[in-house]
Structure formats: structure tokens, C-alpha cells
Amino acid sequence: MELHSIVCGNFKLDGGAMFGVVPKKLWEKTNPADVNNRIEMCSRSLLIEDGDRLILIDTGMGNKQSENFFNHYDRWGDENIDKSLSQKGFQREDVTDVFFTHLHFDHCGDAVIRNNNGVLEPAFKNAVFWSHENHWKWATNPNPREKASFLTENILPIEESGQLQLLKGEDFLLKNTPLGFDIILVNGHTEKQMLPVIKYKNKTLVFTADLIPTVGHLPIPYVMGYDTRPLMTMEEKNQFLTLAIENDLLLFLEHDPFNELISLKQAEKGVRLDRKHTLVNFF
């Protein structure tokens, strides 16, 4: 098995929304804001090369939306999923599986593209797309709070293509999944968000998605305003970080543009950053 970090693009989000009730004076120590109160974010996917399978975890937001849509997210840099895949020696047609942690647009948008005729179609023609059954129902019948994040153009073409497979299960840790890795299920951010747990070269790393999007979100109360059940997120973070310390887990961060892979330590005020790594320099 080989793991590759795939950068799908960079954007900005309101710092207050990203940290909920936490005062700016505290969160800007780790995530400084610009003059519009926006903090820098990235969409970082993980590519798993395992035998004849090439599994991509999340895809970023893509570029098929309108200019007015992207004005809200102030994209920066020139990274994209095609460029990043090419740098690793791959292209979209090589991907056998696309795994969605959840279906908010910044995690699944580039799984669907508009072809030359303007028709929406899956961007990974040879891949199986994986979601959780309960989350799929949640996303296709969205509540008012999340409706702007679940875009039908990102979701329905996948089902219509016949390439969709749905996972089942309610346990905090789902073992022996068809993808070859375990999954942690968390429900505070959105219903049945799935966090891959990957054993790699005598270590175990977790793709933390939106449970812990950046290093600045390690403290238990530092919860996004986007979370549907913030108190549940706090409970899940505490459970997860306890597990991480006990098992020496590494965290692969999807949204932190400056920290790809981190190890943790138990500090006086809770679990905190120990060291910063990358897949390339750590393994």
C-alpha cells in the first residue's frame, strides 16, 4: 500500500463560522483572518494505492458552479485535483473507488462535472462511489440548516449513473468494510460522517474530515458553527482524541492548508499538537 496527499484546491471561509462561539481573539492565534474575517482553507484528499485499487477519499468542490457561487469562497492558489493526481502519476480514469466522508459540496463537488454538452456526469468514469446509507438519505432530503451545502448537482448524477454503493452500520467504529479500512462514524457535524482509519507502515492514521478540520480545532469547545449538533461534536471529539492518544494515531487534516499530518500529545489543557509531518517525510 502507498498513500498520496492530493490537493484539490484552496479557498477561504468566515473565521467566525469555522469556530462557532469561540472568540476571535482565541481562534486567530492558530487561524489568522484577513480583512474580511476569512481564514485560509484547503481541500486535501487522500489517495490510497492498494493492489489493483486506487481509492480517493473526498474530491474537493470542483469548478462547475457559477462565478457568483465561488465569490463566497475566495479561491486562491493554482492547485487542483487533476494537477495533483498527475504529479503522482495518475489520472481520474485510474481511480477505482471514490469514498465520501460526507456530501457537503466542498467534499464531493468535483466528483461530478459538466461534459462538453453541458450535461452533468461522474468525473471518475471507472469508479465506484461510496457513501453511508443514512447520510445519503439525509443529504437527498436536506434540512434547512444544511440545504445550501447539499447540492443536487453534486449528488443525484452519481446515483443516476449506477456507480453508487451505500455502506451501512451504526457503531462508532465500523470494521472490515469493503474498502479495506475501518471507519469511525460521527454525527455532530452531519448525519453519519465517515472517517477512514488506515493502517500504514506500522502506524495508523485517521482522515479527520470535518470532525477536526484544522489544528486550531483540536480543543474540545472549538466547534464549527456549521455543525448540526455541536454538543454531540464535542462528545465525539473527546471520544476520538482519547482514542487517538491511547493508540498513538496520526491525524490527516483535510482543510488545514499548512498542516497535512500531525501527531498528538496529552497537555495540561487537553489533547494538543505534538509534531507536524507530511506523508512524504514521515513514512
Side-chain angles (χ1 to χ4, degrees), residues 8 45 56-62 81 98 100 107-111 124:
C8 303
S45 297
L56 182 66
I57 301 174
D58 284 351
T59 69
M61 66 176 66
I81 195 169
V98 176
F100 299 122
H107 294 259
C108 71
D110 212 1
F124 300 88

Side-chain angles (χ1 to χ4, degrees), residues 120-133:
L120 294 168
E121 63 181 15
F124 300 88
K125 298 186 180 302
N126 300 317
V128 175
F129 294 89
W130 298 88
S131 183
H132 191 282
E133 182 179 52

Side-chain angles (χ1 to χ4, degrees), residues 93-130:
E93 287 75 13
D94 299 321
V95 175
T96 61
D97 302 85
V98 176
F99 177 92
F100 299 122
T101 60
H102 60 298
L103 295 166
H104 287 167
F105 69 85
D106 55 318
H107 294 259
C108 71
D110 212 1
V112 173
I113 59 173
R114 295 187 187 278
N115 63 24
N116 292 335
N117 296 319
V119 177
L120 294 168
E121 63 181 15
F124 300 88
K125 298 186 180 302
N126 300 317
V128 175
F129 294 89
W130 298 88

